[in-house]
Amino acid sequence: MKLLEAEKRLRAFAGKKRAFRSRELGRVFDEDGEALRSTIRRLVDSGLLMRMARDLYWIDSLSNKGIPAIEELAAALRAGEFNYIGLESAASLWSVISQIPVDRITVVTTGREGEFKTPFGVIEFTHTAVSPNEILANTVDYPGHGLRLATKEYTVRGLLRARRSTHLIDWEEVEDDD
């Protein structure tokens, strides 16, 4: 597929989606096999697509209603799993710890653990074996974001269970119901 036509088709997703697997790109371009690989390679070489991980590509020039890029990418990396902002990232958002993670997000997932260095920051995936029902009961929608957020209580329980950053917890803030 010609580069201009491929870019035109990708722009149809502006405001909706920025992370794509190759099979999704195949549907967008109506291609498969070597033709699709060639189109993806040309788009990466031209800078229209960025390879983020194995079989995951990013279209940087498209906006997505203000959802942070790092969160959209985290959701795409663990698609099909239950994911939420937890541990230190959630603790910082709830002011349970005073440190603010810069260029880093901690995502609790029912999928594999791992760490991904991306142009948007580091995504740390921490595995949990809890049920999806428990996750849904202990997380809240986080407007303007691509992932749910652990409640304050669940965040603290998670830090204690994982024995992470417990020395940073501001117990007065934990007790505050605001």
Side-chain angles (χ1 to χ4, degrees), residues 96-115:
V96 169
I97 62 173
S98 60
Q99 285 71 14
I100 300 172
V102 177
D103 296 334
R104 183 175 198 85
I105 188 170
T106 307
V107 178
V108 180
T109 181
T110 56
R112 288 188 335 241
E113 288 192 358
E115 189 171 279

Side-chain angles (χ1 to χ4, degrees), residues 15-58:
K16 297 178 186 108
K17 183 175 177 72
R18 295 177 288 186
F20 293 85
R21 298 280 179 188
S22 8
R23 69 181 177 279
E24 295 171 313
L25 291 170
R27 288 190 291 260
V28 169
F29 303 138
D30 196 26
E31 293 182 336
D32 59 11
E34 188 52 41
L36 175 61
R37 286 188 288 280
S38 177
T39 298
I40 291 173
R41 201 173 15 255
R42 283 196 319 276
L43 288 167
V44 169
D45 290 345
S46 74
L48 287 171
L49 272 182
M50 292 188 302
R51 185 176 184 275
M52 292 288 131
R54 184 173 173 253
D55 192 39
L56 184 63
Y57 300 91
W58 184 262

